[in-house]
């Protein structure tokens, strides 16, 4: 897929997309990231891209014209229709579900605002979807765009090797990830759970699913409420809760 980023900081965005799994996806031509600087589309000698907010008060707003011309260039750079995303705290929260939908599109454009944001009329006419990466305020849309490039880039066919398979991810089934261990089996920090050394693959699968269910119940009960559990998962979560209650009682009486 192709991702076009409209940003005042194109070097930063290219750097973000050049490392790790996503950088490799670009080398393998599974992903193409292009940047467009609105400043290159400004028409005055100062290359102005922002103006005072109408109605007064502090702060600047990104002007329609340079952004409209940048997006026109984006649309004309390749034949496929472009799904334009604007990053802002006013957008819908980014979730793995939305990431998966974006990952299936042939082309998306990420519009990064600075200052107080972008003139509302440009958003109304040129933007298909407004997304937020969380309830906090950033100084620009670039980090949100980097989050989307990373999350979407790693889902491209062939970007992950078998060991990294997206199937095994936290959230791929709406649950948190299970704990992971490597050698040494015994360490002053503790021992690796015995079941993981047993070679019993069915038992290991059940243990991992139980841990995922248990941690989701403990840390993110909101995620569990959103999905119906099958009989096996219900039984495993019950087991986890019993063991957790036992553990808690034990901790309370330990001196
Ligand atoms: N901003 N999720 C304000 C964000 C943000 C977020 C980007 C700050 C847009 C104008 N973007 N600018 N949260 O805080 O995506």
């Amino acid at each position: 897929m192709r991702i076009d980023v409209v940003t005042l900081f194109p070097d930063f965005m290219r750097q973000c997309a050049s490392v790790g799994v996503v950088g490799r996806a670009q080398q393998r031509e599974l992903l193409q990231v292009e940047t467009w600087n609105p400043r290159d589309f400004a028409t005055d000698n100062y290359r102005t891209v922002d103006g005072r907010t109408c109605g007064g008060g502090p702060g600047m707003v990104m002007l329609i014209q340079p952004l409209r011309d940048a997006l026109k260039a984006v649309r004309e750079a390749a034949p496929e229709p472009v799904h334009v995303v604007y990053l802002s705290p006013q957008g819908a929260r980014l979730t793995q579900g939305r990431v998966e939908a974006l990952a299936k599109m042939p082309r998306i454009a990420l519009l990064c605002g600075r200052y107080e944001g972008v003139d509302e009329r440009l958003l109304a006419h040129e933007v298909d979807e407004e997304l937020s990466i969380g309830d906090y305020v950033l100084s620009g849309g670039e980090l949100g765009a980097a989050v989307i490039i990373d999350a979407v880039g790693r889902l491209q066919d062939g970007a992950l090797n078998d060991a990294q398979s997206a199937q095994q991810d936290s959230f791929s089934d709406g649950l948190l990830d299970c704990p992971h261990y490597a050698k040494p089996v015994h360490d002053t920090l503790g021992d690796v759970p015995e079941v993981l050394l047993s070679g019993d693959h069915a038992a290991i699968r059940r243990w991992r699913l139980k841990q995922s269910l248990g941690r989701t119940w403990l840390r993110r009960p909101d995620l569990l409420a959103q999905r119906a559990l099958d009989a096996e998962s219900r039984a495993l979560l019950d087991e986890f809760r019993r063991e957790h209650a036992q553990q808690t009682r034990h901790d309370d009486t330990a001196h």
Side-chain angles (χ1 to χ4, degrees):
M1 84 177 287
R2 172 172 170 149
I3 304 180
D4 292 272
V5 189
V6 177
T7 171
L8 290 171
F9 300 96
D11 295 340
F12 172 68
M13 288 311 305
R14 274 197 296 272
Q15 284 265 351
C16 284
S18 72
V19 303
V21 166
V22 171
R24 225 144 33 234
Q26 281 202 83
Q27 284 167 5
R28 292 176 187 163
E29 297 185 15
L30 309 171
L31 178 72
Q32 181 185 0
V33 177
E34 300 294 341
T35 57
W36 305 81
N37 191 339
R39 220 172 274 291
D40 295 336
F41 296 86
T43 51
D44 66 326
N45 288 333
Y46 302 102
R47 307 218 294 162
T48 307
V49 294
D50 59 335
R52 311 297 299 271
T53 74
C54 292
M60 303 296 273
V61 175
M62 289 185 81
L63 301 176
I64 293 177
Q65 177 269 317
L67 293 179
R68 183 203 267 157
D69 290 349
L71 284 169
K72 185 161 181 278
V74 167
R75 294 185 201 282
E76 286 171 355
E80 299 94 339
V82 187
H83 183 77
V84 180
V85 174
Y86 177 61
L87 282 305
S88 100
Q90 285 74 47
R93 272 294 280 279
L94 184 68
T95 61
Q96 189 62 18
R98 283 193 135 88
V99 166
E100 283 164 15
L102 293 173
K104 289 187 185 118
M105 298 179 180
R107 279 192 86 189
I108 62 173
L110 303 174
L111 176 57
C112 304
R114 285 269 150 179
Y115 321 113
E116 306 313 305
V118 168
D119 190 303
E120 190 65 24
R121 294 165 293 177
L122 183 107
L123 299 183
H125 285 89
E126 298 274 5
V127 169
D128 297 300
E129 184 176 23
E130 197 166 334
L131 290 176
S132 167
I133 62 163
D135 294 339
Y136 38 77
V137 182
L138 302 168
S139 57
E142 282 77 10
L143 286 173
V147 165
I148 291 180
I149 292 169
D150 191 281
V152 160
R154 65 188 289 285
L155 290 185
Q156 299 306 300
D157 262 338
L160 297 178
N161 58 40
D162 271 356
Q164 302 166 317
S165 160
Q167 268 274 282
Q168 301 179 23
D169 284 340
S170 182
F171 290 116
S172 77
D173 52 6
L175 297 177
L176 299 185
D177 209 355
C178 64
H180 301 284
Y181 300 88
K183 284 177 179 175
V185 166
H186 302 291
D187 188 274
T188 52
L189 296 185
D191 299 339
V192 173
E194 218 152 311
V195 61
L196 297 178
L197 311 167
S198 68
D200 182 342
H201 297 295
I204 292 170
R205 188 196 65 81
R206 275 195 306 277
W207 182 86
R208 287 182 171 153
L209 178 55
K210 180 167 137 186
Q211 295 303 314
S212 282
L213 288 159
R215 295 171 129 196
T216 309
W217 170 67
L218 285 173
R219 301 183 191 188
R220 292 293 304 277
D222 57 308
L223 294 178
L224 271 191
Q226 286 170 34
R227 80 197 270 292
L229 299 183
D230 61 20
E232 184 195 28
S233 292
R234 281 200 305 275
L236 288 171
L237 181 54
D238 278 347
E239 243 176 69
F240 183 99
R241 281 165 151 153
R242 275 197 299 275
E243 288 167 11
H244 180 76
Q246 184 93 44
Q247 184 63 47
T248 310
R249 267 196 299 281
H250 181 78
D251 290 348
D252 284 349
T253 54
H255 299 292

